[in-house]
Amino acid sequence: MAVETETTENSPTPPGHMLRHATFRQLQVFEAIYRLGSFTKAAEELFLTQPTASSQIKKLTEVAGLPLFEQVGRNVKPTEAGTHLYQACRQIFSALNHLEAKFDELKGLKRGRLRLAVITTAKYLTPEMLGDFSVLYPDIDLSLKVTNRDRVIERMLADEDDLYILGQAPEKDIEAEIYPFAPNPLVVMAPRHHPLVGQKNIPFEEIAKEPFIIREPGSGIRDATQRVFSDSGYKPKIRMELGSNEAIKHAVVGGLGLSVLSLHSLALEGSEGPLTVLDVQGFPIWRQWYLLHRKNKELSFVAKAFLRFAIHYEIKIRERMLRTWPGLKIQGDIKPSISDK
Ligand code: PGA
């Protein structure tokens, strides 16, 4: 008697199950291209040649049955399908990361010390991130130094900490491993009752007429503020210089002037506090945070674990930003296009 057996070998894949044919490597390559905004950088990070990365994406596209990136001039841009796939990848990698940390814990790698030095805007999120990290590694000692960009770079050159967070990649002559990891939009802040509040698309020249409060020399935000003024051909009317974002927020509420600060500095009060964000042409200035360490530094187990954890924490940061600022168009504005040069 002939019995027909079910075979999976050559049978067509049932509709809706195509993605199960994707390999983990393809997803890794895809995730890295999307996150880093470049085929070249992704290939570098994964120690692949660029043709290999491209062929992985070609196969993944076939499996997905939809284009994942599209060509715009000389650049490529993620499609809607690509964006959905990216979100799924982040969840998969985040779950694996979690599992890896659990496995390490089971292997007994529980103790150690993590030393971080971060720029001032990152202080609005690093403590929370450390809180979540210490749920996974409760016995690790944590040390967090918050200071400005120049001091963070000095600390890195002196090898004082394990990992660093900057708001802008360091100059080329500083030898560092750099991991872009989360958006950091800079906005113009005003007191809630300022006459410009509620106006749409305010021209920069209106803002340039106002007194400004600016951070101290050595601050990355100060540099970014000065750059936006000089690019627009104006000189800021500096009323006051202050060495702390929180002090600046109080000075803005006190009516001393406007200021350019990170949107993250409103993390606790959100959109309901005494400060508000003006809708100024050219803003937000989309910046990004970078995690980094000195090149060739032998990272401790804890530092490696934190690095992995932090990179995958980005999705949480984005979710929190969107909860607080539902109108914010994070993704498109940060990575408008993926350059393949
Ligand atoms: P700063 O850096 O603390 O040096 O101003 C903040 C940033 O670049 O986001």
Side-chain angles (χ1 to χ4, degrees), residues 88-104:
C89 282
R90 299 307 299 249
Q91 280 165 8
I92 295 167
F93 295 150
S94 162
L96 284 176
N97 210 32
H98 220 83
L99 192 65
E100 209 171 324
K102 279 279 164 220
F103 282 8
D104 283 344

Side-chain angles (χ1 to χ4, degrees), residues 189-245:
M189 290 202 191
R192 186 155 289 284
H193 302 296
H194 192 280
L196 291 173
V197 173
Q199 291 191 25
K200 294 258 165 272
N201 229 357
I202 305 166
F204 190 78
E205 57 175 309
E206 286 298 311
I207 297 298
K209 290 181 197 151
E210 298 282 326
F212 256 78
I213 305 165
I214 193 157
R215 285 277 306 278
E216 79 288 0
S219 145
I221 299 191
R222 178 191 174 101
D223 289 351
T225 309
Q226 286 181 326
R227 219 170 13 250
V228 75
F229 270 95
S230 68
D231 288 352
S232 320
Y234 293 98
K235 217 170 157 311
K237 296 203 312 196
I238 299 173
R239 155 89 55 93
M240 200 180 201
E241 197 173 285
L242 282 172
S244 127
N245 298 326

Side-chain angles (χ1 to χ4, degrees), residues 119-121 147-149 167 184 215 218-222 287 289:
I119 39 135
T120 62
T121 47
T147 181
N148 70 24
R149 172 184 170 80
N184 176 24
R215 285 277 306 278
S219 145
I221 299 191
R222 178 191 174 101
R287 298 172 85 222
W289 280 313

